[in-house]
């Protein structure tokens, strides 16, 4: 699934996606968006792939956002139905995605980060939604996800000024899970291995219930979560039998993802 602008590696149950436009600080043009959409389509549909990591090539940038040179030349700002990088509007993605932020994450790049479930960042990384500085707004989910992640006032402080925050500040604010000094992809793989030690059916049910329950009263959602697709699949799965059986036998479970 690798293409002109995207590299894809599979490591067992793990898919590693690398945005590969280092000369443009991994800013995404229309072709890159379509390639990434196809990559995440394939990941979502593959029963043998359970976790994904997304990162950028090079040492400077995770993703500098939308390719403004394309827009300035009349190329527009179109993205696929699944959103920026084929990810930010993928609301049915129940498999976990980890951001391994290797450098600056600006605009749409930061919106990719906010759409991920876990964020690991190198200490030199920085984050911003600077769209107002170029006459635009963060329309790939940043305006909605950032306030949910760090609270309204902190989010407004970033969004209304376009200011950058460091990886350490991102961790204090709450949108970064871990800051590392060295190989951020290896750190993300450690998180992935911890996830892969769990039942993929339970992981998907957990992600689906958490995200869909954010905007509903607890007393309502406690009942509705039982009928959600990933939850019903988990409850009817062989993994739901294997987990208790392995616990009773004092052995490691053998997850089948079904």
């Amino acid at each position: 699934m690798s293409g002109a602008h995207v590299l894809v590696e599979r490591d067992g149950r793990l898919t590693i996606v690398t945005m590969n436009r280092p000369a443009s600080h991994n800013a995404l043009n229309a072709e890159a968006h379509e390639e990434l959409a196809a990559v995440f389509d394939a990941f979502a549909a593959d029963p043998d792939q359970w976790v994904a990591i997304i990162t950028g090539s090079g040492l400077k940038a995770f993703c500098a956002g939308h390719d403004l040179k394309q827009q300035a030349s009349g190329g527009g700002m179109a993205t696929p139905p699944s959103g920026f990088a084929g990810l930010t509007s993928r609301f049915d993605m129940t498999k976990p995605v980890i951001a391994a932020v290797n450098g600056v994450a600006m605009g749409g790049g930061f919106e990719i980060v906010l759409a991920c479930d876990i964020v690991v960042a190198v200490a030199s990384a920085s984050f911003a939604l600077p769209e107002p500085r170029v006459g635009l707004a963060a329309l790939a989910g940043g305006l909605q996800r950032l306030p949910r992640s760090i609270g309204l006032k902190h989010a407004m402080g970033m969004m209304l000024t376009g200011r950058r925050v460091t990886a350490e500040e991102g961790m204090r604010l709450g949108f970064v899970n871990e800051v590392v000094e060295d190989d951020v992809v290896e750190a993300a793989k450690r998180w992935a291995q911890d996830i892969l030690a769990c039942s993929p059916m339970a992981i998907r049910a957990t992600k689906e219930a958490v995200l869909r329950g954010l905007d509903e009263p607890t007393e309502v959602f406690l009942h509705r979560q039982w009928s959600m697709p990933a939850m019903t699949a988990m409850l009817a799965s062989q993994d739901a039998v294997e987990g208790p059986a392995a616990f009773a036998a004092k052995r490691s479970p053998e997850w089948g993802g079904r």
Side-chain angles (χ1 to χ4, degrees):
M1 288 298 298
S2 295
H5 305 296
V6 181
L7 303 177
V8 181
E9 173 190 353
R10 288 183 174 176
D11 182 4
R13 304 288 193 181
L14 174 64
T15 295
I16 303 170
V17 181
T18 303
M19 296 172 283
N20 189 34
R21 303 189 77 226
S24 301
H25 299 293
N26 299 318
L28 301 182
N29 59 13
E31 185 177 357
H33 283 301
E34 293 297 338
E35 287 184 12
L36 284 160
V39 166
F40 282 110
D41 283 347
F43 168 70
D46 190 337
D48 294 326
Q49 294 300 292
W50 294 356
V51 181
I53 292 171
I54 184 167
T55 191
S57 62
L59 300 176
K60 294 183 178 180
F62 172 77
C63 174
H66 189 78
D67 190 342
L68 293 179
K69 292 181 181 179
Q70 172 187 274
Q71 182 185 352
S73 64
M77 297 179 63
T79 55
S82 51
F84 198 92
L87 190 60
T88 60
S89 295
R90 196 177 289 271
F91 299 110
D92 59 351
M93 173 71 83
T94 56
K95 296 179 181 181
V97 181
I98 302 169
V101 185
N102 57 300
V104 296
M106 298 289 118
F110 188 20
E111 290 176 296
I112 297 171
V113 170
L114 292 170
C116 291
D117 303 295
I118 291 172
V119 179
V120 184
V122 71
S124 59
S126 58
F127 306 82
L129 294 176
E131 284 87 346
R133 292 174 177 254
V134 293
L136 300 171
L139 299 177
L143 301 181
Q144 293 74 38
R145 289 188 171 107
L146 188 59
R148 289 179 177 180
S149 296
I150 67 175
L152 179 61
K153 298 303 183 185
H154 286 306
M156 284 298 198
M158 290 184 65
M159 295 187 297
L160 298 184
T161 64
R163 76 178 184 92
R164 294 189 183 197
V165 302
T166 66
E168 287 290 348
E169 185 173 358
M171 191 166 179
R172 291 196 301 271
L173 288 170
F175 65 80
V176 173
N177 294 86
E178 182 183 2
V179 178
V180 299
E181 294 291 340
D182 46 11
D183 193 330
V184 71
V185 173
E186 286 303 313
K189 286 182 178 180
R190 285 192 279 101
W191 283 88
Q193 290 306 316
D194 285 344
I195 295 171
L196 290 169
C198 303
S199 163
M201 306 300 288
I203 291 296
R204 293 166 203 167
T206 297
K207 176 176 173 176
E208 180 183 57
V210 168
L211 294 182
R212 294 196 180 184
L214 288 174
D215 296 321
E216 292 196 31
T218 301
E219 62 271 22
V220 173
F221 197 74
L222 275 175
H223 298 286
R224 196 169 81 80
Q225 67 182 352
W226 289 85
S227 61
M228 297 177 65
M231 190 69 71
T232 56
M234 178 196 73
L235 294 170
S237 70
Q238 294 178 22
D239 279 3
V241 176
E242 168 64 8
F247 177 82
K250 297 182 180 180
R251 61 173 174 83
S252 298
E254 297 181 6
W255 305 122
R258 58 187 187 278

